[in-house]
Amino acid sequence: MTAERPAHAPADHPRIPREKVGVLIANLGTPDDTSYWPMRRYLNEFLSDKRVIDYPAWKWQPILQGIVLSTRPFKSGAAYRTIWNEEANESPLMTITKQQVSKLGARMHERYGDAVMVDYCMRYGNPSTPSVVRRMVAAGCTRILFCPLYPQYAGATTATANDQFFRALMQEKRQPASRTLPPYFDDPAYIEALAASVERAYAAADREPDILVCSYHGLPFRYLTEGDPYHCQCQKTTRLLKERLGWSDDRITTTFQSKFGPEEWLKPYTVEEVARLAENGRKRIAVIAPAFSADCIETLEEINEEIRESFEHAGGESFTYVPCLNDDEAHIAALTGRIEANLAGWLD
Protein backbone atom coordinates (compact mmCIF):
# COMPACT_ATOMS: atom_id res chain seq x y z
CA MET A 1 0.00 0.00 0.00
CA THR A 2 1.26 3.51 -0.81
CA ALA A 3 -0.92 5.18 1.83
CA GLU A 4 -1.90 4.03 5.29
CA ARG A 5 -3.65 5.22 8.43
CA PRO A 6 -1.23 6.43 11.14
CA ALA A 7 -0.74 4.13 14.11
CA HIS A 8 -3.23 4.74 16.95
CA ALA A 9 -5.33 6.99 14.67
CA PRO A 10 -9.13 6.69 14.71
CA ALA A 11 -10.84 4.71 11.98
CA ASP A 12 -12.01 7.84 10.16
CA HIS A 13 -8.51 9.36 9.95
CA PRO A 14 -7.47 9.87 6.30
CA ARG A 15 -4.79 7.61 4.92
CA ILE A 16 -1.39 9.26 4.55
CA PRO A 17 1.18 8.36 1.87
CA ARG A 18 4.40 6.85 3.09
CA GLU A 19 7.07 9.50 3.48
CA LYS A 20 9.63 9.88 0.73
CA VAL A 21 12.14 12.41 -0.55
CA GLY A 22 11.43 14.28 -3.78
CA VAL A 23 14.04 15.26 -6.35
CA LEU A 24 12.53 17.89 -8.62
CA ILE A 25 14.46 18.64 -11.81
CA ALA A 26 13.73 22.08 -13.28
CA ASN A 27 14.49 23.57 -16.66
CA LEU A 28 13.60 26.80 -18.43
CA GLY A 29 10.46 25.78 -20.26
CA THR A 30 8.91 25.32 -23.64
CA PRO A 31 5.79 26.36 -25.53
CA ASP A 32 3.08 23.72 -25.87
CA ASP A 33 2.93 24.27 -29.62
CA THR A 34 4.52 26.42 -32.32
CA SER A 35 1.32 28.24 -33.33
CA TYR A 36 0.62 31.85 -32.39
CA TRP A 37 -1.39 31.58 -29.16
CA PRO A 38 0.73 28.91 -27.41
CA MET A 39 3.83 30.88 -28.39
CA ARG A 40 2.29 34.12 -27.13
CA ARG A 41 1.33 32.58 -23.77
CA TYR A 42 4.83 31.19 -23.32
CA LEU A 43 6.60 34.40 -24.32
CA ASN A 44 4.28 36.51 -22.18
CA GLU A 45 5.10 34.45 -19.08
CA PHE A 46 8.81 34.41 -19.87
CA LEU A 47 9.21 38.08 -20.79
CA SER A 48 7.01 39.27 -17.90
CA ASP A 49 9.42 37.74 -15.37
CA LYS A 50 11.12 40.56 -13.48
CA ARG A 51 14.21 38.38 -13.09
CA VAL A 52 14.52 38.20 -16.88
CA ILE A 53 13.63 41.79 -17.79
CA ASP A 54 13.75 44.08 -14.79
CA TYR A 55 12.48 47.28 -16.36
CA PRO A 56 9.60 48.95 -14.47
CA ALA A 57 6.26 47.41 -15.45
CA TRP A 58 4.82 50.79 -16.48
CA LYS A 59 7.61 51.08 -19.03
CA TRP A 60 7.98 47.47 -20.21
CA GLN A 61 4.47 45.99 -20.20
CA PRO A 62 2.99 48.36 -22.84
CA ILE A 63 5.90 47.46 -25.13
CA LEU A 64 5.58 43.74 -24.38
CA GLN A 65 1.80 43.58 -24.77
CA GLY A 66 1.97 45.76 -27.88
CA ILE A 67 4.64 45.31 -30.52
CA VAL A 68 6.57 42.43 -28.93
CA LEU A 69 3.71 39.96 -28.43
CA SER A 70 2.06 41.02 -31.67
CA THR A 71 5.07 40.03 -33.76
CA ARG A 72 7.54 37.86 -31.84
CA PRO A 73 5.28 34.76 -31.51
CA PHE A 74 5.31 34.42 -35.32
CA LYS A 75 9.11 34.67 -35.50
CA SER A 76 9.70 32.41 -32.51
CA GLY A 77 7.14 29.90 -33.76
CA ALA A 78 8.90 29.69 -37.10
CA ALA A 79 12.22 29.10 -35.35
CA TYR A 80 10.74 26.37 -33.15
CA ARG A 81 9.24 24.64 -36.17
CA THR A 82 12.73 24.09 -37.59
CA ILE A 83 13.70 21.98 -34.57
CA TRP A 84 10.33 20.64 -33.30
CA ASN A 85 10.10 16.95 -32.43
CA GLU A 86 7.19 16.16 -34.71
CA GLU A 87 6.89 12.53 -33.65
CA ALA A 88 6.37 13.41 -29.99
CA ASN A 89 4.80 16.81 -30.78
CA GLU A 90 7.08 18.61 -28.35
CA SER A 91 10.23 20.70 -28.28
CA PRO A 92 13.64 18.99 -28.07
CA LEU A 93 14.09 20.51 -24.61
CA MET A 94 11.03 18.61 -23.39
CA THR A 95 12.15 15.37 -25.03
CA ILE A 96 15.65 15.59 -23.58
CA THR A 97 14.44 16.60 -20.11
CA LYS A 98 12.23 13.49 -20.02
CA GLN A 99 15.20 11.35 -21.02
CA GLN A 100 17.39 12.91 -18.33
CA VAL A 101 14.75 12.40 -15.65
CA SER A 102 14.19 8.80 -16.70
CA LYS A 103 17.89 8.02 -16.29
CA LEU A 104 18.23 9.99 -13.06
CA GLY A 105 15.15 8.25 -11.69
CA ALA A 106 16.62 4.85 -12.51
CA ARG A 107 19.85 5.71 -10.68
CA MET A 108 17.99 7.04 -7.67
CA HIS A 109 15.79 3.94 -7.54
CA GLU A 110 18.82 1.68 -7.81
CA ARG A 111 20.36 3.32 -4.75
CA TYR A 112 17.37 4.37 -2.64
CA GLY A 113 14.49 2.23 -3.86
CA ASP A 114 11.04 3.74 -3.33
CA ALA A 115 12.37 6.25 -0.80
CA VAL A 116 12.98 8.81 -3.59
CA MET A 117 10.59 10.24 -6.17
CA VAL A 118 12.13 11.99 -9.20
CA ASP A 119 10.04 14.34 -11.32
CA TYR A 120 10.52 17.44 -13.49
CA CYS A 121 8.95 20.84 -14.02
CA MET A 122 9.44 23.94 -16.14
CA ARG A 123 9.81 27.52 -14.98
CA TYR A 124 7.65 28.70 -17.90
CA GLY A 125 4.96 26.62 -19.56
CA ASN A 126 4.09 23.03 -18.64
CA PRO A 127 4.40 21.07 -16.48
CA SER A 128 4.36 24.06 -14.15
CA THR A 129 6.40 24.11 -10.95
CA PRO A 130 3.34 24.47 -8.65
CA SER A 131 1.55 21.54 -10.30
CA VAL A 132 4.50 19.20 -9.84
CA VAL A 133 5.19 20.32 -6.27
CA ARG A 134 1.52 19.58 -5.53
CA ARG A 135 1.87 16.12 -7.07
CA MET A 136 5.00 15.36 -5.06
CA VAL A 137 3.45 16.49 -1.79
CA ALA A 138 0.35 14.41 -2.49
CA ALA A 139 2.61 11.42 -3.14
CA GLY A 140 4.17 11.75 0.31
CA CYS A 141 7.27 13.87 -0.29
CA THR A 142 8.02 15.52 3.05
CA ARG A 143 11.39 16.71 1.78
CA ILE A 144 12.15 18.08 -1.70
CA LEU A 145 15.53 18.79 -3.30
CA PHE A 146 14.88 21.33 -6.07
CA CYS A 147 17.39 21.07 -8.90
CA PRO A 148 17.57 23.85 -11.51
CA LEU A 149 19.66 22.42 -14.35
CA TYR A 150 21.86 25.50 -14.78
CA PRO A 151 25.56 24.82 -14.15
CA GLN A 152 26.29 28.54 -13.71
CA TYR A 153 24.13 30.62 -11.39
CA ALA A 154 22.27 33.64 -12.77
CA GLY A 155 19.40 35.63 -11.37
CA ALA A 156 17.55 35.19 -14.67
CA THR A 157 17.82 31.38 -14.59
CA THR A 158 18.62 29.73 -11.25
CA ALA A 159 17.10 32.42 -9.04
CA THR A 160 13.81 32.72 -10.92
CA ALA A 161 13.42 28.93 -10.90
CA ASN A 162 13.99 28.95 -7.13
CA ASP A 163 11.53 31.84 -6.75
CA GLN A 164 8.82 29.82 -8.47
CA PHE A 165 9.57 26.79 -6.32
CA PHE A 166 9.25 28.88 -3.15
CA ARG A 167 5.98 30.37 -4.41
CA ALA A 168 4.70 26.83 -4.98
CA LEU A 169 5.60 25.90 -1.40
CA MET A 170 3.52 28.84 -0.17
CA GLN A 171 0.42 27.10 -1.54
CA GLU A 172 0.94 23.89 0.42
CA LYS A 173 -0.93 23.28 3.67
CA ARG A 174 1.72 20.76 4.70
CA GLN A 175 4.90 22.36 3.45
CA PRO A 176 7.79 19.98 2.81
CA ALA A 177 11.30 20.73 4.02
CA SER A 178 13.30 21.96 1.04
CA ARG A 179 16.78 22.41 -0.37
CA THR A 180 17.98 23.87 -3.64
CA LEU A 181 20.82 22.48 -5.72
CA PRO A 182 23.79 24.91 -5.83
CA PRO A 183 25.46 25.77 -9.17
CA TYR A 184 27.94 23.16 -10.33
CA PHE A 185 30.00 25.17 -12.86
CA ASP A 186 33.31 23.93 -11.39
CA ASP A 187 32.29 20.40 -10.44
CA PRO A 188 35.06 18.04 -11.66
CA ALA A 189 32.59 15.47 -13.01
CA TYR A 190 30.74 18.16 -14.99
CA ILE A 191 34.02 19.49 -16.41
CA GLU A 192 35.08 15.95 -17.29
CA ALA A 193 31.79 15.34 -19.12
CA LEU A 194 32.25 18.58 -21.09
CA ALA A 195 35.83 17.68 -21.99
CA ALA A 196 34.85 14.19 -23.12
CA SER A 197 32.16 15.66 -25.39
CA VAL A 198 34.73 18.00 -26.96
CA GLU A 199 37.19 15.16 -27.50
CA ARG A 200 34.51 13.07 -29.22
CA ALA A 201 33.54 15.96 -31.51
CA TYR A 202 37.17 16.69 -32.41
CA ALA A 203 37.88 13.01 -33.09
CA ALA A 204 34.90 12.86 -35.48
CA ALA A 205 35.86 16.04 -37.37
CA ASP A 206 37.56 15.74 -40.76
CA ARG A 207 40.11 18.36 -39.66
CA GLU A 208 40.70 19.62 -36.15
CA PRO A 209 39.05 23.00 -35.47
CA ASP A 210 41.34 25.99 -35.01
CA ILE A 211 39.51 27.15 -31.90
CA LEU A 212 36.71 26.13 -29.54
CA VAL A 213 34.13 28.84 -28.86
CA CYS A 214 32.39 28.41 -25.49
CA SER A 215 29.12 30.26 -26.08
CA TYR A 216 27.11 31.07 -22.95
CA HIS A 217 23.68 32.67 -22.79
CA GLY A 218 24.08 36.41 -22.34
CA LEU A 219 22.90 38.86 -19.69
CA PRO A 220 22.84 42.65 -19.55
CA PHE A 221 26.31 43.87 -18.52
CA ARG A 222 24.91 45.83 -15.58
CA TYR A 223 23.80 42.54 -13.96
CA LEU A 224 27.50 41.84 -13.45
CA THR A 225 28.08 45.21 -11.81
CA GLU A 226 25.00 44.64 -9.63
CA GLY A 227 26.46 41.46 -8.17
CA ASP A 228 25.32 38.58 -10.39
CA PRO A 229 28.16 35.97 -10.40
CA TYR A 230 27.20 34.46 -13.76
CA HIS A 231 29.97 36.05 -15.85
CA CYS A 232 32.70 34.94 -13.44
CA GLN A 233 31.34 31.40 -13.24
CA CYS A 234 31.23 31.13 -17.04
CA GLN A 235 34.85 32.28 -17.27
CA LYS A 236 35.87 29.70 -14.68
CA THR A 237 34.07 26.89 -16.51
CA THR A 238 36.00 27.76 -19.68
CA ARG A 239 39.30 27.94 -17.79
CA LEU A 240 38.75 24.57 -16.11
CA LEU A 241 37.74 23.01 -19.45
CA LYS A 242 40.90 24.42 -21.06
CA GLU A 243 43.06 23.03 -18.25
CA ARG A 244 41.40 19.61 -18.43
CA LEU A 245 41.99 19.48 -22.20
CA GLY A 246 45.60 20.63 -21.74
CA TRP A 247 45.21 23.47 -24.22
CA SER A 248 46.85 26.86 -24.59
CA ASP A 249 44.80 30.06 -24.27
CA ASP A 250 44.57 30.60 -28.04
CA ARG A 251 42.66 27.36 -28.59
CA ILE A 252 39.56 28.30 -26.61
CA THR A 253 37.50 31.45 -26.00
CA THR A 254 34.40 32.60 -24.12
CA THR A 255 31.50 34.42 -25.80
CA PHE A 256 27.87 35.27 -25.03
CA GLN A 257 24.77 34.85 -27.20
CA SER A 258 21.05 35.68 -27.29
CA LYS A 259 21.27 39.45 -26.78
CA PHE A 260 17.84 41.05 -26.40
CA GLY A 261 16.94 44.74 -26.26
CA PRO A 262 18.96 47.93 -26.71
CA GLU A 263 21.33 47.93 -23.71
CA GLU A 264 24.87 46.53 -23.59
CA TRP A 265 25.14 42.84 -22.73
CA LEU A 266 28.09 40.66 -21.72
CA LYS A 267 30.69 40.62 -24.48
CA PRO A 268 32.01 39.44 -26.82
CA TYR A 269 28.78 38.58 -28.62
CA THR A 270 29.02 35.10 -30.17
CA VAL A 271 27.41 36.06 -33.48
CA GLU A 272 29.98 38.85 -33.97
CA GLU A 273 32.97 36.98 -32.57
CA VAL A 274 32.64 33.98 -34.91
CA ALA A 275 32.62 36.36 -37.87
CA ARG A 276 35.74 38.13 -36.53
CA LEU A 277 37.48 34.77 -36.11
CA ALA A 278 36.73 33.84 -39.71
CA GLU A 279 37.95 37.22 -40.98
CA ASN A 280 41.18 36.77 -39.01
CA GLY A 281 41.96 33.39 -40.51
CA ARG A 282 40.30 30.97 -38.08
CA LYS A 283 38.45 29.14 -40.82
CA ARG A 284 37.58 26.04 -38.77
CA ILE A 285 35.82 26.47 -35.44
CA ALA A 286 33.84 24.40 -32.99
CA VAL A 287 31.11 25.83 -30.74
CA ILE A 288 29.93 24.40 -27.42
CA ALA A 289 27.25 25.78 -25.07
CA PRO A 290 28.33 24.86 -21.50
CA ALA A 291 25.52 26.84 -19.81
CA PHE A 292 22.79 24.65 -21.33
CA SER A 293 22.11 21.23 -19.83
CA ALA A 294 19.93 20.25 -22.80
CA ASP A 295 19.79 21.22 -26.45
CA CYS A 296 17.07 23.77 -27.09
CA ILE A 297 16.09 26.68 -29.33
CA GLU A 298 19.23 28.63 -28.33
CA THR A 299 21.53 25.82 -29.41
CA LEU A 300 19.77 23.93 -32.19
CA GLU A 301 18.44 27.03 -33.94
CA GLU A 302 20.49 30.02 -32.79
CA ILE A 303 23.95 28.41 -32.70
CA ASN A 304 23.54 25.81 -35.39
CA GLU A 305 21.76 28.14 -37.80
CA GLU A 306 22.14 31.87 -37.08
CA ILE A 307 25.64 31.81 -35.59
CA ARG A 308 26.83 29.24 -38.15
CA GLU A 309 25.53 31.51 -40.92
CA SER A 310 27.41 34.50 -39.48
CA PHE A 311 30.64 32.49 -39.45
CA GLU A 312 30.25 31.15 -42.98
CA HIS A 313 29.19 34.53 -44.38
CA ALA A 314 32.46 35.98 -43.05
CA GLY A 315 34.49 33.32 -44.86
CA GLY A 316 34.47 30.47 -42.38
CA GLU A 317 34.85 27.03 -43.91
CA SER A 318 34.15 24.41 -41.22
CA PHE A 319 31.68 24.83 -38.35
CA THR A 320 31.35 22.06 -35.76
CA TYR A 321 28.61 22.24 -33.16
CA VAL A 322 29.34 20.22 -30.01
CA PRO A 323 25.95 19.08 -28.66
CA CYS A 324 24.88 19.77 -25.08
CA LEU A 325 25.50 17.01 -22.58
CA ASN A 326 21.81 16.07 -22.67
CA ASP A 327 21.33 12.50 -21.35
CA ASP A 328 24.93 11.46 -21.95
CA GLU A 329 25.96 8.92 -19.30
CA ALA A 330 28.83 11.09 -18.03
CA HIS A 331 26.40 13.99 -17.59
CA ILE A 332 23.88 11.81 -15.76
CA ALA A 333 26.67 10.53 -13.51
CA ALA A 334 27.77 14.09 -12.74
CA LEU A 335 24.21 15.17 -11.91
CA THR A 336 23.69 12.05 -9.81
CA GLY A 337 26.79 12.88 -7.80
CA ARG A 338 25.59 16.43 -7.17
CA ILE A 339 22.11 15.24 -6.18
CA GLU A 340 23.38 12.55 -3.83
CA ALA A 341 25.74 15.02 -2.15
CA ASN A 342 22.82 17.36 -1.51
CA LEU A 343 20.61 14.59 -0.16
CA ALA A 344 23.14 13.98 2.63
CA GLY A 345 21.44 13.87 6.00
CA TRP A 346 18.06 13.13 4.45
CA LEU A 347 18.95 9.66 3.22
CA ASP A 348 21.60 7.12 4.19
Side-chain angles (χ1 to χ4, degrees):
M1 294 175 63
T2 58
E4 54 191 19
R5 198 173 289 111
H8 311 298
D12 61 349
H13 193 288
R15 293 183 180 274
I16 297 175
R18 291 180 181 175
E19 289 189 9
K20 56 176 67 72
V21 173
V23 175
L24 181 50
I25 305 301
N27 217 319
L28 180 76
T30 171
D32 295 325
D33 190 73
T34 61
S35 57
Y36 176 80
W37 286 109
M39 286 302 314
R40 182 180 176 117
R41 284 193 298 271
Y42 173 73
L43 291 171
N44 183 47
E45 185 180 11
F46 176 45
L47 298 176
S48 292
D49 186 347
K50 292 285 287 185
R51 289 278 196 181
V52 174
I53 297 179
D54 62 356
Y55 299 148
W58 65 265
K59 179 186 293 185
W60 172 239
Q61 281 297 320
I63 299 172
L64 175 63
Q65 301 302 325
I67 185 65
V68 175
L69 291 181
S70 295
T71 59
R72 194 172 180 88
F74 293 109
K75 181 180 179 181
S76 295
Y80 267 99
R81 280 191 287 277
T82 67
I83 65 166
W84 200 252
N85 181 347
E86 296 291 349
E87 182 178 351
N89 191 27
E90 62 190 19
S91 73
L93 176 66
M94 180 67 77
T95 302
I96 294 166
T97 300
K98 290 178 179 177
Q99 293 167 343
Q100 291 170 328
V101 169
S102 175
K103 290 187 175 182
L104 287 169
R107 286 181 178 242
M108 292 293 104
H109 188 269
E110 181 179 352
R111 175 160 183 180
Y112 302 113
D114 294 333
V116 173
M117 174 183 179
V118 181
D119 210 332
Y120 73 96
C121 65
M122 298 294 177
R123 170 60 184 89
Y124 315 104
N126 297 306
S128 71
T129 304
S131 70
V132 182
V133 168
R134 175 87 286 278
R135 181 163 67 232
M136 297 185 94
V137 170
C141 292
T142 56
R143 299 177 176 89
I144 296 178
L145 173 63
F146 184 69
C147 306
L149 290 194
Y150 304 111
Q152 300 80 18
Y153 173 96
T157 53
T158 310
T160 189
N162 288 340
D163 290 346
Q164 192 74 341
F165 174 58
F166 300 144
R167 281 190 287 265
L169 293 179
M170 292 171 63
Q171 301 174 23
E172 293 304 318
K173 189 169 292 294
R174 182 178 181 179
Q175 193 177 67
S178 62
R179 295 174 178 173
T180 59
L181 189 74
Y184 50 96
F185 61 96
D186 57 354
D187 179 70
Y190 160 69
I191 298 297
E192 178 62 32
L194 282 178
S197 73
V198 172
E199 290 170 340
R200 286 194 300 270
Y202 272 48
D206 293 334
R207 296 179 63 188
E208 185 172 285
D210 299 321
I211 189 169
L212 176 67
V213 177
C214 295
S215 181
Y216 299 84
H217 198 289
L219 288 176
F221 178 78
R222 63 183 169 82
Y223 286 21
L224 169 62
T225 64
E226 291 168 355
D228 195 303
Y230 178 72
H231 179 265
C232 299
Q233 293 183 3
C234 292
Q235 295 287 357
K236 187 171 184 180
T237 295
T238 299
R239 175 175 64 80
L240 293 174
L241 177 59
K242 179 198 69 174
E243 292 171 357
R244 159 58 181 80
L245 292 167
W247 288 358
S248 57
D249 289 347
D250 63 349
R251 294 188 64 187
I252 190 169
T253 190
T254 296
T255 63
F256 298 90
Q257 64 182 86
S258 308
K259 181 182 182 298
F260 178 82
E263 67 179 301
E264 180 183 1
W265 279 38
L266 296 175
K267 291 181 177 180
Y269 302 140
T270 305
V271 70
E272 296 177 359
E273 184 65 9
V274 297
R276 189 192 69 81
L277 288 170
E279 291 164 356
N280 290 344
R282 301 291 190 101
K283 301 297 186 181
R284 300 183 303 278
I285 69 169
V287 180
I288 190 171
F292 297 91
S293 64
D295 275 307
C296 55
I297 191 74
E298 287 87 356
T299 63
L300 298 174
E301 195 276 334
E302 185 178 0
I303 290 179
N304 219 10
E305 295 183 22
E306 178 186 347
I307 290 169
R308 177 193 291 269
E309 183 179 331
S310 175
F311 174 69
E312 293 176 346
H313 184 74
E317 298 171 359
S318 176
F319 184 99
T320 299
Y321 171 59
V322 182
C324 291
L325 295 177
N326 297 325
D327 66 338
D328 178 78
E329 290 300 330
H331 188 211
I332 299 302
L335 292 174
T336 300
R338 289 293 81 219
I339 289 169
E340 290 180 345
N342 283 274
L343 290 176
W346 280 1
L347 294 165
D348 294 333

